Amino acid sequence: MSRFNRRVQIPDLQLPKYDDAEEEGDYSDNYGVARLTTTGSNVSDDQEPVMGVKVLRQASRHRDIKGDYLDVPSHSYLMKIFQKQGDKQVLFADKVLKFTASGKMKHRILLITDFALYIIDPETNALKRRIALAAVEKTCLSELSDNFLAIIIPTEYDLLMASTRKTEIVAVLVEATKSASDFELEVVFSNRGDREAPYLCSFEYNADAELVKEIQFEEVEGGVKTRITRK
């Protein structure tokens, strides 16, 4: 059976193993991401179809889209990391929360360039992971107003993040992937739960090479309650 029941392709947008610890956890959707110095936008008005497909916060609909929220050119260590790989342009940069296989949350910097995604530790300035755009198969989201986003990488393990700018991240990934390889990145929306399920929707992801987890979403008063469990 397919892990997902609705796939949406958005055309012509201009746009190791871990230690065994906590097996499951509840997470609120209030993951604030610090807004730092901004630069010019890398996202066009044609990316609106991505935003219109989801139930988003009103604030998200009217938020200015900037692309680089960290002013990457002013941080030499960030420039060195992606230029060393031969990448030329930063399409998106911001702080996010990244979830480990054990369920721990880590503050990370996400860079999306014209060829890859970079996950960087802001405390040590160290590159933790580089994912080529060509390796990304799809992105997975719920239809609710949460901040969670999974990036599916079949040849490795998947990446689960939380960001208040996840809609922009998806739009940038779609545009960047098409520009780099003429490949239409799938944007997959999660299964809706049945009447017996205590949650409204969910999706699965590979937390590491041998561990599949499910993230469940439930609308509650004032927001969305999320829960991550081992399958």
PDB file of all heavy atoms in Angstrom, residues 153-190:
ATOM      1  N   ILE A 153      14.659  11.146   0.633  1.00  0.00           N
ATOM      2  CA  ILE A 153      15.881  10.863  -0.112  1.00  0.00           C
ATOM      3  C   ILE A 153      16.067   9.350  -0.153  1.00  0.00           C
ATOM      4  O   ILE A 153      16.614   8.763   0.790  1.00  0.00           O
ATOM      5  CB  ILE A 153      17.118  11.544   0.533  1.00  0.00           C
ATOM      6  CG1 ILE A 153      16.850  13.041   0.761  1.00  0.00           C
ATOM      7  CG2 ILE A 153      18.353  11.342  -0.339  1.00  0.00           C
ATOM      8  CD1 ILE A 153      16.621  13.417   2.178  1.00  0.00           C
ATOM      9  N   PRO A 154      15.602   8.674  -1.188  1.00  0.00           N
ATOM     10  CA  PRO A 154      15.589   7.205  -1.207  1.00  0.00           C
ATOM     11  C   PRO A 154      16.960   6.559  -1.045  1.00  0.00           C
ATOM     12  O   PRO A 154      17.064   5.463  -0.492  1.00  0.00           O
ATOM     13  CB  PRO A 154      14.994   6.883  -2.583  1.00  0.00           C
ATOM     14  CG  PRO A 154      14.224   8.090  -2.955  1.00  0.00           C
ATOM     15  CD  PRO A 154      14.970   9.249  -2.376  1.00  0.00           C
ATOM     16  N   THR A 155      18.015   7.197  -1.535  1.00  0.00           N
ATOM     17  CA  THR A 155      19.347   6.599  -1.473  1.00  0.00           C
ATOM     18  C   THR A 155      20.022   6.786  -0.126  1.00  0.00           C
ATOM     19  O   THR A 155      21.085   6.204   0.122  1.00  0.00           O
ATOM     20  CB  THR A 155      20.255   7.206  -2.558  1.00  0.00           C
ATOM     21  OG1 THR A 155      20.301   8.636  -2.389  1.00  0.00           O
ATOM     22  CG2 THR A 155      19.717   6.881  -3.947  1.00  0.00           C
ATOM     23  N   GLU A 156      19.414   7.593   0.761  1.00  0.00           N
ATOM     24  CA  GLU A 156      19.992   7.841   2.079  1.00  0.00           C
ATOM     25  C   GLU A 156      18.899   7.628   3.126  1.00  0.00           C
ATOM     26  O   GLU A 156      18.144   6.676   3.056  1.00  0.00           O
ATOM     27  CB  GLU A 156      20.570   9.258   2.148  1.00  0.00           C
ATOM     28  CG  GLU A 156      21.589   9.576   1.057  1.00  0.00           C
ATOM     29  CD  GLU A 156      22.050  11.003   1.103  1.00  0.00           C
ATOM     30  OE1 GLU A 156      21.980  11.637   2.183  1.00  0.00           O
ATOM     31  OE2 GLU A 156      22.475  11.522   0.051  1.00  0.00           O
ATOM     32  N   TYR A 157      18.830   8.509   4.101  1.00  0.00           N
ATOM     33  CA  TYR A 157      17.718   8.551   5.045  1.00  0.00           C
ATOM     34  C   TYR A 157      17.057   9.910   4.901  1.00  0.00           C
ATOM     35  O   TYR A 157      17.656  10.868   4.399  1.00  0.00           O
ATOM     36  CB  TYR A 157      18.186   8.288   6.483  1.00  0.00           C
ATOM     37  CG  TYR A 157      19.261   9.234   6.974  1.00  0.00           C
ATOM     38  CD1 TYR A 157      18.931  10.402   7.662  1.00  0.00           C
ATOM     39  CD2 TYR A 157      20.611   8.961   6.756  1.00  0.00           C
ATOM     40  CE1 TYR A 157      19.913  11.271   8.119  1.00  0.00           C
ATOM     41  CE2 TYR A 157      21.597   9.822   7.205  1.00  0.00           C
ATOM     42  CZ  TYR A 157      21.244  10.975   7.878  1.00  0.00           C
ATOM     43  OH  TYR A 157      22.219  11.834   8.307  1.00  0.00           O
ATOM     44  N   ASP A 158      15.805  10.020   5.293  1.00  0.00           N
ATOM     45  CA  ASP A 158      15.028  11.222   5.050  1.00  0.00           C
ATOM     46  C   ASP A 158      15.341  12.318   6.067  1.00  0.00           C
ATOM     47  O   ASP A 158      15.971  12.075   7.105  1.00  0.00           O
ATOM     48  CB  ASP A 158      13.540  10.889   5.066  1.00  0.00           C
ATOM     49  CG  ASP A 158      13.175   9.832   4.030  1.00  0.00           C
ATOM     50  OD1 ASP A 158      13.882   9.737   3.014  1.00  0.00           O
ATOM     51  OD2 ASP A 158      12.202   9.090   4.262  1.00  0.00           O
ATOM     52  N   LEU A 159      14.871  13.504   5.764  1.00  0.00           N
ATOM     53  CA  LEU A 159      15.130  14.671   6.599  1.00  0.00           C
ATOM     54  C   LEU A 159      13.807  15.248   7.070  1.00  0.00           C
ATOM     55  O   LEU A 159      12.966  15.644   6.256  1.00  0.00           O
ATOM     56  CB  LEU A 159      15.904  15.717   5.785  1.00  0.00           C
ATOM     57  CG  LEU A 159      16.191  17.062   6.448  1.00  0.00           C
ATOM     58  CD1 LEU A 159      17.089  16.889   7.675  1.00  0.00           C
ATOM     59  CD2 LEU A 159      16.852  18.007   5.444  1.00  0.00           C
ATOM     60  N   LEU A 160      13.586  15.266   8.395  1.00  0.00           N
ATOM     61  CA  LEU A 160      12.383  15.861   8.976  1.00  0.00           C
ATOM     62  C   LEU A 160      12.770  17.157   9.665  1.00  0.00           C
ATOM     63  O   LEU A 160      13.676  17.180  10.508  1.00  0.00           O
ATOM     64  CB  LEU A 160      11.731  14.917   9.989  1.00  0.00           C
ATOM     65  CG  LEU A 160      10.461  15.460  10.666  1.00  0.00           C
ATOM     66  CD1 LEU A 160       9.330  15.627   9.654  1.00  0.00           C
ATOM     67  CD2 LEU A 160      10.025  14.560  11.817  1.00  0.00           C
ATOM     68  N   MET A 161      12.079  18.234   9.298  1.00  0.00           N
ATOM     69  CA  MET A 161      12.373  19.558   9.848  1.00  0.00           C
ATOM     70  C   MET A 161      11.080  20.250  10.267  1.00  0.00           C
ATOM     71  O   MET A 161       9.985  19.854   9.862  1.00  0.00           O
ATOM     72  CB  MET A 161      13.063  20.432   8.797  1.00  0.00           C
ATOM     73  CG  MET A 161      14.373  19.920   8.276  1.00  0.00           C
ATOM     74  SD  MET A 161      15.086  21.069   7.063  1.00  0.00           S
ATOM     75  CE  MET A 161      13.853  20.997   5.760  1.00  0.00           C
ATOM     76  N   ALA A 162      11.233  21.289  11.064  1.00  0.00           N
ATOM     77  CA  ALA A 162      10.128  22.194  11.373  1.00  0.00           C
ATOM     78  C   ALA A 162      10.587  23.611  11.079  1.00  0.00           C
ATOM     79  O   ALA A 162      11.678  24.015  11.480  1.00  0.00           O
ATOM     80  CB  ALA A 162       9.709  22.064  12.835  1.00  0.00           C
ATOM     81  N   SER A 163       9.742  24.343  10.359  1.00  0.00           N
ATOM     82  CA  SER A 163      10.050  25.729  10.014  1.00  0.00           C
ATOM     83  C   SER A 163       8.753  26.478   9.787  1.00  0.00           C
ATOM     84  O   SER A 163       7.810  25.946   9.177  1.00  0.00           O
ATOM     85  CB  SER A 163      10.910  25.796   8.746  1.00  0.00           C
ATOM     86  OG  SER A 163      11.010  27.142   8.277  1.00  0.00           O
ATOM     87  N   THR A 164       8.689  27.713  10.233  1.00  0.00           N
ATOM     88  CA  THR A 164       7.523  28.547   9.966  1.00  0.00           C
ATOM     89  C   THR A 164       7.485  28.962   8.499  1.00  0.00           C
ATOM     90  O   THR A 164       6.482  29.500   8.039  1.00  0.00           O
ATOM     91  CB  THR A 164       7.537  29.815  10.843  1.00  0.00           C
ATOM     92  OG1 THR A 164       8.752  30.528  10.634  1.00  0.00           O
ATOM     93  CG2 THR A 164       7.405  29.444  12.314  1.00  0.00           C
ATOM     94  N   ARG A 165       8.559  28.679   7.776  1.00  0.00           N
ATOM     95  CA  ARG A 165       8.630  29.029   6.348  1.00  0.00           C
ATOM     96  C   ARG A 165       8.638  27.773   5.472  1.00  0.00           C
ATOM     97  O   ARG A 165       9.232  27.755   4.403  1.00  0.00           O
ATOM     98  CB  ARG A 165       9.862  29.883   6.075  1.00  0.00           C
ATOM     99  CG  ARG A 165       9.841  31.224   6.799  1.00  0.00           C
ATOM    100  CD  ARG A 165      10.975  32.136   6.358  1.00  0.00           C
ATOM    101  NE  ARG A 165      10.818  33.444   6.948  1.00  0.00           N
ATOM    102  CZ  ARG A 165      11.475  33.868   8.030  1.00  0.00           C
ATOM    103  NH1 ARG A 165      12.347  33.076   8.634  1.00  0.00           N
ATOM    104  NH2 ARG A 165      11.268  35.079   8.514  1.00  0.00           N
ATOM    105  N   LYS A 166       7.966  26.730   5.905  1.00  0.00           N
ATOM    106  CA  LYS A 166       8.055  25.478   5.142  1.00  0.00           C
ATOM    107  C   LYS A 166       7.443  25.599   3.759  1.00  0.00           C
ATOM    108  O   LYS A 166       7.886  24.939   2.817  1.00  0.00           O
ATOM    109  CB  LYS A 166       7.413  24.331   5.913  1.00  0.00           C
ATOM    110  CG  LYS A 166       5.902  24.286   5.908  1.00  0.00           C
ATOM    111  CD  LYS A 166       5.405  22.976   6.495  1.00  0.00           C
ATOM    112  CE  LYS A 166       3.898  22.874   6.466  1.00  0.00           C
ATOM    113  NZ  LYS A 166       3.419  21.627   7.056  1.00  0.00           N
ATOM    114  N   THR A 167       6.399  26.418   3.586  1.00  0.00           N
ATOM    115  CA  THR A 167       5.809  26.593   2.264  1.00  0.00           C
ATOM    116  C   THR A 167       6.823  27.191   1.297  1.00  0.00           C
ATOM    117  O   THR A 167       6.933  26.767   0.145  1.00  0.00           O
ATOM    118  CB  THR A 167       4.565  27.492   2.334  1.00  0.00           C
ATOM    119  OG1 THR A 167       3.636  26.938   3.262  1.00  0.00           O
ATOM    120  CG2 THR A 167       3.901  27.625   0.978  1.00  0.00           C
ATOM    121  N   GLU A 168       7.569  28.150   1.767  1.00  0.00           N
ATOM    122  CA  GLU A 168       8.613  28.758   0.930  1.00  0.00           C
ATOM    123  C   GLU A 168       9.714  27.747   0.620  1.00  0.00           C
ATOM    124  O   GLU A 168      10.225  27.698  -0.502  1.00  0.00           O
ATOM    125  CB  GLU A 168       9.201  29.988   1.621  1.00  0.00           C
ATOM    126  CG  GLU A 168      10.231  30.713   0.775  1.00  0.00           C
ATOM    127  CD  GLU A 168      10.780  31.972   1.444  1.00  0.00           C
ATOM    128  OE1 GLU A 168      10.237  32.378   2.499  1.00  0.00           O
ATOM    129  OE2 GLU A 168      11.752  32.522   0.914  1.00  0.00           O
ATOM    130  N   ILE A 169      10.074  26.921   1.602  1.00  0.00           N
ATOM    131  CA  ILE A 169      11.097  25.894   1.377  1.00  0.00           C
ATOM    132  C   ILE A 169      10.667  24.955   0.260  1.00  0.00           C
ATOM    133  O   ILE A 169      11.454  24.638  -0.645  1.00  0.00           O
ATOM    134  CB  ILE A 169      11.376  25.112   2.678  1.00  0.00           C
ATOM    135  CG1 ILE A 169      12.048  26.016   3.714  1.00  0.00           C
ATOM    136  CG2 ILE A 169      12.251  23.891   2.398  1.00  0.00           C
ATOM    137  CD1 ILE A 169      12.170  25.399   5.092  1.00  0.00           C
ATOM    138  N   VAL A 170       9.400  24.500   0.306  1.00  0.00           N
ATOM    139  CA  VAL A 170       8.901  23.601  -0.728  1.00  0.00           C
ATOM    140  C   VAL A 170       8.941  24.276  -2.093  1.00  0.00           C
ATOM    141  O   VAL A 170       9.377  23.684  -3.093  1.00  0.00           O
ATOM    142  CB  VAL A 170       7.472  23.132  -0.400  1.00  0.00           C
ATOM    143  CG1 VAL A 170       6.872  22.371  -1.576  1.00  0.00           C
ATOM    144  CG2 VAL A 170       7.475  22.261   0.838  1.00  0.00           C
ATOM    145  N   ALA A 171       8.495  25.517  -2.165  1.00  0.00           N
ATOM    146  CA  ALA A 171       8.471  26.231  -3.439  1.00  0.00           C
ATOM    147  C   ALA A 171       9.870  26.386  -4.021  1.00  0.00           C
ATOM    148  O   ALA A 171      10.088  26.200  -5.219  1.00  0.00           O
ATOM    149  CB  ALA A 171       7.820  27.602  -3.250  1.00  0.00           C
ATOM    150  N   VAL A 172      10.829  26.713  -3.158  1.00  0.00           N
ATOM    151  CA  VAL A 172      12.210  26.867  -3.620  1.00  0.00           C
ATOM    152  C   VAL A 172      12.769  25.536  -4.107  1.00  0.00           C
ATOM    153  O   VAL A 172      13.458  25.460  -5.132  1.00  0.00           O
ATOM    154  CB  VAL A 172      13.090  27.456  -2.499  1.00  0.00           C
ATOM    155  CG1 VAL A 172      14.569  27.388  -2.873  1.00  0.00           C
ATOM    156  CG2 VAL A 172      12.692  28.904  -2.219  1.00  0.00           C
ATOM    157  N   LEU A 173      12.472  24.445  -3.379  1.00  0.00           N
ATOM    158  CA  LEU A 173      12.954  23.122  -3.790  1.00  0.00           C
ATOM    159  C   LEU A 173      12.386  22.720  -5.154  1.00  0.00           C
ATOM    160  O   LEU A 173      13.099  22.159  -5.991  1.00  0.00           O
ATOM    161  CB  LEU A 173      12.589  22.074  -2.740  1.00  0.00           C
ATOM    162  CG  LEU A 173      13.457  22.020  -1.490  1.00  0.00           C
ATOM    163  CD1 LEU A 173      12.866  21.038  -0.483  1.00  0.00           C
ATOM    164  CD2 LEU A 173      14.886  21.612  -1.847  1.00  0.00           C
ATOM    165  N   VAL A 174      11.098  22.978  -5.370  1.00  0.00           N
ATOM    166  CA  VAL A 174      10.477  22.644  -6.647  1.00  0.00           C
ATOM    167  C   VAL A 174      11.171  23.395  -7.784  1.00  0.00           C
ATOM    168  O   VAL A 174      11.524  22.818  -8.819  1.00  0.00           O
ATOM    169  CB  VAL A 174       8.971  22.961  -6.625  1.00  0.00           C
ATOM    170  CG1 VAL A 174       8.357  22.853  -8.023  1.00  0.00           C
ATOM    171  CG2 VAL A 174       8.253  22.019  -5.668  1.00  0.00           C
ATOM    172  N   GLU A 175      11.369  24.688  -7.577  1.00  0.00           N
ATOM    173  CA  GLU A 175      11.999  25.511  -8.611  1.00  0.00           C
ATOM    174  C   GLU A 175      13.448  25.099  -8.843  1.00  0.00           C
ATOM    175  O   GLU A 175      13.891  24.962  -9.990  1.00  0.00           O
ATOM    176  CB  GLU A 175      11.941  26.984  -8.201  1.00  0.00           C
ATOM    177  CG  GLU A 175      12.604  27.905  -9.213  1.00  0.00           C
ATOM    178  CD  GLU A 175      12.644  29.346  -8.739  1.00  0.00           C
ATOM    179  OE1 GLU A 175      12.303  29.581  -7.563  1.00  0.00           O
ATOM    180  OE2 GLU A 175      13.024  30.210  -9.532  1.00  0.00           O
ATOM    181  N   ALA A 176      14.191  24.889  -7.746  1.00  0.00           N
ATOM    182  CA  ALA A 176      15.610  24.563  -7.869  1.00  0.00           C
ATOM    183  C   ALA A 176      15.821  23.217  -8.542  1.00  0.00           C
ATOM    184  O   ALA A 176      16.731  23.046  -9.365  1.00  0.00           O
ATOM    185  CB  ALA A 176      16.268  24.573  -6.497  1.00  0.00           C
ATOM    186  N   THR A 177      14.984  22.236  -8.187  1.00  0.00           N
ATOM    187  CA  THR A 177      15.111  20.904  -8.779  1.00  0.00           C
ATOM    188  C   THR A 177      14.819  20.941 -10.275  1.00  0.00           C
ATOM    189  O   THR A 177      15.523  20.328 -11.076  1.00  0.00           O
ATOM    190  CB  THR A 177      14.151  19.923  -8.086  1.00  0.00           C
ATOM    191  OG1 THR A 177      14.446  19.890  -6.689  1.00  0.00           O
ATOM    192  CG2 THR A 177      14.303  18.521  -8.646  1.00  0.00           C
ATOM    193  N   LYS A 178      13.799  21.677 -10.650  1.00  0.00           N
ATOM    194  CA  LYS A 178      13.466  21.774 -12.065  1.00  0.00           C
ATOM    195  C   LYS A 178      14.569  22.488 -12.837  1.00  0.00           C
ATOM    196  O   LYS A 178      14.919  22.100 -13.958  1.00  0.00           O
ATOM    197  CB  LYS A 178      12.142  22.510 -12.246  1.00  0.00           C
ATOM    198  CG  LYS A 178      11.666  22.520 -13.688  1.00  0.00           C
ATOM    199  CD  LYS A 178      10.272  23.095 -13.811  1.00  0.00           C
ATOM    200  CE  LYS A 178       9.811  23.036 -15.266  1.00  0.00           C
ATOM    201  NZ  LYS A 178       8.452  23.600 -15.435  1.00  0.00           N
ATOM    202  N   SER A 179      15.139  23.522 -12.248  1.00  0.00           N
ATOM    203  CA  SER A 179      16.210  24.264 -12.914  1.00  0.00           C
ATOM    204  C   SER A 179      17.467  23.419 -13.061  1.00  0.00           C
ATOM    205  O   SER A 179      18.169  23.499 -14.074  1.00  0.00           O
ATOM    206  CB  SER A 179      16.537  25.540 -12.132  1.00  0.00           C
ATOM    207  OG  SER A 179      15.427  26.412 -12.097  1.00  0.00           O
ATOM    208  N   ALA A 180      17.762  22.599 -12.036  1.00  0.00           N
ATOM    209  CA  ALA A 180      18.994  21.819 -12.042  1.00  0.00           C
ATOM    210  C   ALA A 180      18.906  20.582 -12.922  1.00  0.00           C
ATOM    211  O   ALA A 180      19.902  20.173 -13.533  1.00  0.00           O
ATOM    212  CB  ALA A 180      19.366  21.412 -10.617  1.00  0.00           C
ATOM    213  N   SER A 181      17.711  19.960 -12.998  1.00  0.00           N
ATOM    214  CA  SER A 181      17.628  18.667 -13.685  1.00  0.00           C
ATOM    215  C   SER A 181      16.404  18.496 -14.560  1.00  0.00           C
ATOM    216  O   SER A 181      16.205  17.443 -15.151  1.00  0.00           O
ATOM    217  CB  SER A 181      17.640  17.544 -12.645  1.00  0.00           C
ATOM    218  OG  SER A 181      16.491  17.639 -11.804  1.00  0.00           O
ATOM    219  N   ASP A 182      15.548  19.514 -14.636  1.00  0.00           N
ATOM    220  CA  ASP A 182      14.293  19.426 -15.390  1.00  0.00           C
ATOM    221  C   ASP A 182      13.393  18.326 -14.847  1.00  0.00           C
ATOM    222  O   ASP A 182      12.582  17.741 -15.563  1.00  0.00           O
ATOM    223  CB  ASP A 182      14.560  19.206 -16.874  1.00  0.00           C
ATOM    224  CG  ASP A 182      13.364  19.650 -17.729  1.00  0.00           C
ATOM    225  OD1 ASP A 182      12.673  20.585 -17.311  1.00  0.00           O
ATOM    226  OD2 ASP A 182      13.132  19.028 -18.783  1.00  0.00           O
ATOM    227  N   PHE A 183      13.551  18.015 -13.549  1.00  0.00           N
ATOM    228  CA  PHE A 183      12.750  16.997 -12.880  1.00  0.00           C
ATOM    229  C   PHE A 183      11.650  17.674 -12.077  1.00  0.00           C
ATOM    230  O   PHE A 183      11.898  18.655 -11.368  1.00  0.00           O
ATOM    231  CB  PHE A 183      13.643  16.169 -11.954  1.00  0.00           C
ATOM    232  CG  PHE A 183      12.896  15.243 -11.024  1.00  0.00           C
ATOM    233  CD1 PHE A 183      12.227  14.132 -11.500  1.00  0.00           C
ATOM    234  CD2 PHE A 183      12.866  15.493  -9.651  1.00  0.00           C
ATOM    235  CE1 PHE A 183      11.538  13.287 -10.638  1.00  0.00           C
ATOM    236  CE2 PHE A 183      12.191  14.654  -8.782  1.00  0.00           C
ATOM    237  CZ  PHE A 183      11.531  13.549  -9.281  1.00  0.00           C
ATOM    238  N   GLU A 184      10.429  17.144 -12.180  1.00  0.00           N
ATOM    239  CA  GLU A 184       9.303  17.696 -11.435  1.00  0.00           C
ATOM    240  C   GLU A 184       9.252  17.057 -10.044  1.00  0.00           C
ATOM    241  O   GLU A 184       8.850  15.899  -9.901  1.00  0.00           O
ATOM    242  CB  GLU A 184       7.986  17.431 -12.177  1.00  0.00           C
ATOM    243  CG  GLU A 184       7.868  18.169 -13.495  1.00  0.00           C
ATOM    244  CD  GLU A 184       7.574  19.648 -13.326  1.00  0.00           C
ATOM    245  OE1 GLU A 184       7.333  20.073 -12.177  1.00  0.00           O
ATOM    246  OE2 GLU A 184       7.586  20.367 -14.325  1.00  0.00           O
ATOM    247  N   LEU A 185       9.668  17.794  -9.043  1.00  0.00           N
ATOM    248  CA  LEU A 185       9.657  17.281  -7.674  1.00  0.00           C
ATOM    249  C   LEU A 185       8.219  17.092  -7.201  1.00  0.00           C
ATOM    250  O   LEU A 185       7.387  17.990  -7.328  1.00  0.00           O
ATOM    251  CB  LEU A 185      10.387  18.262  -6.754  1.00  0.00           C
ATOM    252  CG  LEU A 185      10.577  17.833  -5.303  1.00  0.00           C
ATOM    253  CD1 LEU A 185      11.558  16.681  -5.216  1.00  0.00           C
ATOM    254  CD2 LEU A 185      11.043  19.005  -4.460  1.00  0.00           C
ATOM    255  N   GLU A 186       7.928  15.931  -6.639  1.00  0.00           N
ATOM    256  CA  GLU A 186       6.588  15.674  -6.114  1.00  0.00           C
ATOM    257  C   GLU A 186       6.381  16.382  -4.779  1.00  0.00           C
ATOM    258  O   GLU A 186       7.261  16.383  -3.923  1.00  0.00           O
ATOM    259  CB  GLU A 186       6.373  14.173  -5.904  1.00  0.00           C
ATOM    260  CG  GLU A 186       6.172  13.382  -7.163  1.00  0.00           C
ATOM    261  CD  GLU A 186       5.836  11.942  -6.826  1.00  0.00           C
ATOM    262  OE1 GLU A 186       6.742  11.225  -6.386  1.00  0.00           O
ATOM    263  OE2 GLU A 186       4.670  11.542  -6.997  1.00  0.00           O
ATOM    264  N   VAL A 187       5.219  16.974  -4.621  1.00  0.00           N
ATOM    265  CA  VAL A 187       4.788  17.543  -3.345  1.00  0.00           C
ATOM    266  C   VAL A 187       3.633  16.675  -2.873  1.00  0.00           C
ATOM    267  O   VAL A 187       2.562  16.661  -3.472  1.00  0.00           O
ATOM    268  CB  VAL A 187       4.357  19.006  -3.490  1.00  0.00           C
ATOM    269  CG1 VAL A 187       3.923  19.567  -2.138  1.00  0.00           C
ATOM    270  CG2 VAL A 187       5.487  19.841  -4.083  1.00  0.00           C
ATOM    271  N   VAL A 188       3.854  15.901  -1.798  1.00  0.00           N
ATOM    272  CA  VAL A 188       2.915  14.871  -1.367  1.00  0.00           C
ATOM    273  C   VAL A 188       2.245  15.298  -0.067  1.00  0.00           C
ATOM    274  O   VAL A 188       2.924  15.618   0.917  1.00  0.00           O
ATOM    275  CB  VAL A 188       3.651  13.526  -1.170  1.00  0.00           C
ATOM    276  CG1 VAL A 188       2.670  12.433  -0.755  1.00  0.00           C
ATOM    277  CG2 VAL A 188       4.386  13.131  -2.444  1.00  0.00           C
ATOM    278  N   PHE A 189       0.928  15.279  -0.079  1.00  0.00           N
ATOM    279  CA  PHE A 189       0.170  15.615   1.118  1.00  0.00           C
ATOM    280  C   PHE A 189      -0.269  14.342   1.830  1.00  0.00           C
ATOM    281  O   PHE A 189      -0.575  13.341   1.208  1.00  0.00           O
ATOM    282  CB  PHE A 189      -1.016  16.510   0.769  1.00  0.00           C
ATOM    283  CG  PHE A 189      -0.582  17.861   0.294  1.00  0.00           C
ATOM    284  CD1 PHE A 189      -0.386  18.090  -1.053  1.00  0.00           C
ATOM    285  CD2 PHE A 189      -0.319  18.870   1.200  1.00  0.00           C
ATOM    286  CE1 PHE A 189       0.053  19.328  -1.500  1.00  0.00           C
ATOM    287  CE2 PHE A 189       0.114  20.107   0.762  1.00  0.00           C
ATOM    288  CZ  PHE A 189       0.301  20.344  -0.596  1.00  0.00           C
ATOM    289  N   SER A 190      -0.298  14.406   3.146  1.00  0.00           N
ATOM    290  CA  SER A 190      -0.412  13.214   3.983  1.00  0.00           C
ATOM    291  C   SER A 190      -1.792  12.588   3.947  1.00  0.00           C
ATOM    292  O   SER A 190      -2.793  13.207   3.592  1.00  0.00           O
ATOM    293  CB  SER A 190      -0.061  13.564   5.423  1.00  0.00           C
ATOM    294  OG  SER A 190      -0.899  14.602   5.891  1.00  0.00           O
TER     295      SER A 190
END
